[in-house]
Amino acid sequence: MLFKQQPYLLFFLLGLLLFTNQVASAQTKAPEGIWSTVIAYKTDWAYNEPTFPYLPHFGAFFIGGWGKNQHYLGPGGDTATCDSGSGCISVWNWWGPSYSTLLIPKWWWGSAWQHRFSPYYQATVYTN
Amino acid sequence: MKPFTLKTFLNAKSVALFSIIVFILAVMFTVTNQNQVTADTSLANRVLHASDMTDLKIETWQSDEKIEMGDLSHPLNNAVGKPELLDSALQAQIMAYQEGYQTSAFLTWHDQSLGMGNYVYRYPSSEQAIQAQKSITGQFVSTDKQQMVETFNQDNIQGESYVVMGDQNDALYWFVGVHDDTVVMLMVDSISASTSKEAFAMLLDDLFLKQK
C-alpha cells in the first residue's frame, strides 16, 4: 500500500539493502593472497645479533612473506650454493616477522659479487 | 548590503589574521626543518661516505641515512625487548641515544670483497655516551676466537677495536669509540682475515680524521 503511494520508496529500500550488503561483505571478507615466484629486490644486511660483537647476518629481501622454494639463478645454479659452508640454498633459513628475508651464509656472500646480486635469488612468497 | 568585491576581501580583518597565522606557521616549519637538517648533517659528517674511499674500491654503496629506531639493520636495536639477552639497565643506557646515522657498503681490496658498516649515535651528554660505550663493550667475552685488539686514546676519540675470527679464516672487526656525546662504531667483515684487517686499519684512519 505504502509503495503504491510512494513508488520510489521501494527502489530506495532496495538500494539501501544492496549497499549495506556490499559494505558488510567487504568488511568481513578476508583479503585473499596468492603464492607467486619472484626474485629478490635487494641484498643487504638483514640484522645483527643482539649483543656485542653484533655478528652481522646478510640476506636477500623479497616482497611478500612466508618464503619457500628458494633457488639461486646465478652461475652454477642451486648446486653451486652447496659450497656455502652452511648447506645448499634449499636449507638456508628465512628471517623476519613474515619470513621475507632469505639469510645468506657469510662464506657465500663474501666469495663473489654474483652472490650478492639480488636478481639471482628466486623464491615463492605469499602476497596479499 | 555591500557587494563583495576583491577590495572588501583584501581588507577583511579575518584575512589579515589568517595571513599572520600562515606566516607564523611557515616560520615555525622552516626553523624546525633547519634544526633537523643541521642535526642530521653534523652526525652525517662523522661517518665515512663514498667520497672518502680513496684506497678501497666501491662495489655497492648500500646505505647513507638516518637510523630509525625500529630499524633492525644496524647493531643497537636488536636487543630491545629481550632482557634475557641483555640486562634491561644496560639496554636502557645503550638505547638512550637521541639520533643516529649510518653508512654501509661493499668494498673491494686486492680483489677481495668486504662489507663495511659505520654507525654513529648521539646521546644527551658525553657522560651518557661514555656509559653507552662501556655498556656495549662490556658485553664482549674474550675467547681464543675473539679478542680486543687495540686501545685508542687520541685527542678527539677514545675507544677499542675488536676482532672475531671465523671458522674459515674469515674475520669481523669492530671499533667502538666515543667522540664528545657520540658513540662511533665501525664494522668490517670479510671471508679473508687479512683483507678484513688491512681494510679495517685504512677505514679506521679515515674515520678518525672525520672526528674533528
Side-chain angles (χ1 to χ4, degrees):
Chain A
M1 192 69 84
L2 184 66
F3 295 132
K4 270 188 179 174
Q5 290 168 359
Q6 300 288 341
Y8 296 112
L9 192 61
L10 179 65
F11 291 106
F12 174 73
L13 286 173
L14 280 172
L16 191 67
L17 193 68
L18 196 66
F19 176 72
T20 50
N21 190 38
Q22 288 292 319
V23 170
S25 71
Q27 283 175 341
T28 54
K29 200 184 280 180
E32 285 182 12
I34 52 164
W35 289 96
S36 48
T37 300
V38 297
I39 57 168
Y41 68 92
K42 72 165 181 176
T43 55
D44 204 346
W45 278 283
Y47 73 99
N48 292 77
E49 291 191 9
T51 54
F52 189 67
Y54 303 125
L55 297 181
H57 292 270
F58 191 73
F61 291 70
F62 292 84
I63 294 173
W66 315 104
K68 61 182 183 181
N69 297 333
Q70 59 270 25
H71 296 285
Y72 178 66
L73 308 179
D78 288 356
T79 311
T81 65
C82 300
D83 295 333
S84 71
S86 301
C88 307
I89 190 170
S90 60
V91 298
W92 293 358
N93 292 321
W94 286 88
W95 176 83
S98 57
Y99 299 98
S100 58
T101 304
L102 177 67
L103 294 178
I104 300 175
K106 178 176 174 178
W107 191 257
W108 180 256
W109 72 249
S111 53
W113 70 266
Q114 294 94 332
H115 302 167
R116 296 184 292 276
F117 188 54
S118 61
Y120 282 165
Y121 292 94
Q122 183 195 66
T124 303
V125 292
Y126 186 78
T127 46
N128 283 326
Chain B
M1 190 178 163
K2 268 185 173 178
F4 188 79
T5 62
L6 184 64
K7 196 175 176 186
T8 55
F9 174 77
L10 290 173
N11 286 340
K13 282 182 184 172
S14 58
V15 173
L17 188 63
F18 178 73
S19 304
I20 291 167
I21 291 168
V22 168
F23 177 74
I24 291 168
L25 286 174
V27 169
M28 282 169 67
F29 177 78
T30 308
V31 168
T32 311
N33 224 24
Q34 276 181 348
N35 283 346
Q36 189 74 30
V37 169
T38 306
D40 287 354
T41 306
S42 67
L43 262 194
N45 284 341
R46 295 189 185 181
V47 293
L48 297 168
H49 297 278
S51 54
D52 299 312
M53 298 299 121
T54 47
D55 301 316
L56 295 150
K57 270 172 61 182
I58 297 170
E59 184 186 289
T60 55
W61 203 260
Q62 298 285 111
S63 70
D64 192 328
E65 62 200 9
K66 267 182 77 174
I67 289 172
E68 302 296 336
M69 291 297 279
D71 181 2
L72 297 180
S73 69
H74 77 106
L76 300 191
N77 283 349
N78 227 355
V80 175
K82 297 170 186 164
E84 71 279 10
L85 294 174
L86 184 61
D87 177 77
S88 299
L90 289 180
Q91 206 174 104
Q93 286 166 353
I94 294 167
M95 294 305 293
Y97 70 86
Q98 293 175 315
E99 57 178 336
Y101 202 94
Q102 67 177 349
T103 56
S104 61
F106 283 106
L107 308 167
T108 308
W109 174 244
H110 291 164
D111 295 328
Q112 180 68 57
S113 294
L114 60 112
M116 183 280 293
N118 190 187
Y119 315 92
V120 287
Y121 303 90
R122 176 176 283 133
Y123 289 79
S125 66
S126 54
E127 290 77 18
Q128 281 171 280
I130 292 167
Q131 193 57 59
Q133 186 233 11
K134 285 180 180 168
S135 298
I136 292 167
T137 55
Q139 300 165 38
F140 193 77
V141 179
S142 291
T143 65
D144 290 347
K145 292 277 188 184
Q146 56 181 51
Q147 287 148 12
M148 193 183 87
V149 179
E150 195 173 349
T151 301
F152 299 88
N153 197 0
Q154 304 191 355
D155 288 345
N156 52 356
I157 192 162
Q158 294 81 42
E160 293 107 38
S161 60
Y162 299 83
V163 63
V164 180
M165 298 298 295
D167 294 332
Q168 295 170 298
N169 193 36
D170 53 308
L172 165 71
Y173 276 82
W174 272 106
F175 170 77
V176 185
V178 178
H179 170 215
D180 294 338
D181 57 357
T182 305
V183 168
V184 180
M185 299 172 73
L186 175 70
M187 175 193 83
V188 170
D189 196 13
S190 92
I191 59 170
S192 157
S194 59
T195 299
S196 288
K197 186 179 181 179
E198 291 166 21
F200 179 73
M202 285 186 284
L203 291 167
L204 200 55
D205 283 345
D206 292 341
L207 183 63
F208 285 171
L209 290 175
K210 296 188 82 86
Q211 314 303 315
K212 298 286 180 191

